[in-house]
Amino acid sequence: MSRTVFKSLAILCLSTSPFLAYSEESTSKPESLEPTVSQTSESDQITSTNNDTQTTSQETSTVTTTGLVPLTVAQDDKHWAIGLSTYSLGLYTEDNSYFADDYDYDDEYFVGGAIFVNYHFSDSVSARIQFYGLEHEDFSEIEVSGTDVLLHWGGGFLNEGFKWYIGGGAYSETLEVGEFEEDFSGAQFHGGLGYNWQHIGLDFSLGFRTTSDYEDFIEEGDESLIDRDEDMFAMTVALGVYVRF
């Protein structure tokens, strides 16, 4: 009986001893370290991912920078052209004469020169403004000065080589004879072709004008000088050289 009681006391003492408690804590301690090991692994993965992202960003930046090279080449295109040209204006009537046969006047021609400025929006779209000064072929005291404003569609404006274009716009001009002046304006169809070298170019163009203002001017003159129907046809011809930049 006393031995049984002694064994029970011994077991009770062992179960409450500090050594046993420390052993249990030591046994469970490795389990508490497992999440820390797992967190370190995830951190390494995140760091690796960030490094990969930075490498990819550097590669993308390199590709983007390399992709700017064609844009730099495109900036060398020459969008402007300034030139000088010969310029002539012919006014034709249906019966080949403005006035009565007694005066023996043929179609009227004005000759002179022009300065023009082109801006090429692209290889196929261009705008032109042109200033011209002319004299009558037979009577130098009759002078004409005016402006053409034109928009063209065509090809080869920016490139070296052949170019062509068609389009239209408006003209406005003033006829002067001494102190007398008369203004004319209207629409016109315009087209031409040429050739571009690296810094210069050659241009040939034709223009076909509306003639209502010319016809009204003739009808307002002395009727004794008017012999037939004044249906008219007006055409311009220009040949010029220009600088490209």
Side-chain angles (χ1 to χ4, degrees), residues 62 75 106 121 180 235 242:
T62 302
Q75 291 176 358
D106 294 330
F121 297 96
F180 174 80
M235 183 176 71
Y242 52 87

Side-chain angles (χ1 to χ4, degrees), residues 21-196:
Y22 176 79
S23 299
E24 291 176 353
E25 289 177 3
S26 299
T27 304
S28 61
K29 197 169 185 178
E31 295 178 357
S32 64
L33 293 176
E34 291 180 0
T36 303
V37 173
S38 175
Q39 289 177 0
T40 302
S41 177
E42 290 177 359
S43 176
D44 292 339
Q45 291 177 358
I46 292 172
T47 302
S48 177
T49 303
N50 289 337
N51 291 334
D52 293 341
T53 303
Q54 291 176 358
T55 302
T56 305
S57 299
Q58 292 175 355
E59 292 175 354
T60 304
S61 177
T62 302
V63 172
T64 303
T65 303
T66 304
L68 292 177
V69 174
L71 295 179
T72 302
V73 174
Q75 291 176 358
D76 292 336
D77 291 338
K78 295 175 173 58
H79 290 269
W80 289 95
I82 297 179
L84 299 172
S85 71
T86 62
Y87 194 99
S88 64
L89 168 64
L91 301 176
Y92 308 89
T93 58
E94 188 177 62
D95 59 10
N96 199 38
S97 176
Y98 287 162
F99 307 109
D101 292 336
D102 294 341
Y103 290 87
D104 194 24
Y105 283 146
D106 294 330
D107 299 327
E108 307 298 320
Y109 297 98
F110 299 84
V111 295
I115 181 172
F116 60 91
V117 179
N118 283 2
Y119 181 76
H120 307 307
F121 297 96
S122 67
D123 197 51
S124 58
V125 179
S126 178
R128 172 181 296 185
I129 184 169
Q130 187 163 250
F131 306 96
Y132 58 89
L134 313 173
E135 291 183 353
H136 193 278
E137 184 181 45
D138 298 318
F139 307 101
S140 59
E141 65 272 15
I142 304 176
E143 299 179 344
V144 172
S145 59
T147 304
D148 296 320
V149 179
L150 303 161
L151 182 65
H152 294 136
W153 174 81
F157 293 138
L158 299 180
N159 300 325
E160 294 184 34
F162 285 100
K163 69 172 185 179
W164 64 272
Y165 56 89
I166 57 173
Y171 71 92
S172 177
E173 66 185 17
T174 300
L175 172 71
E176 299 181 56
V177 185
E179 299 297 326
F180 174 80
E181 292 186 1
E182 184 72 18
D183 294 327
F184 306 99
S185 61
Q188 62 179 317
F189 173 81
H190 198 257
L193 51 83
Y195 193 91
N196 291 329

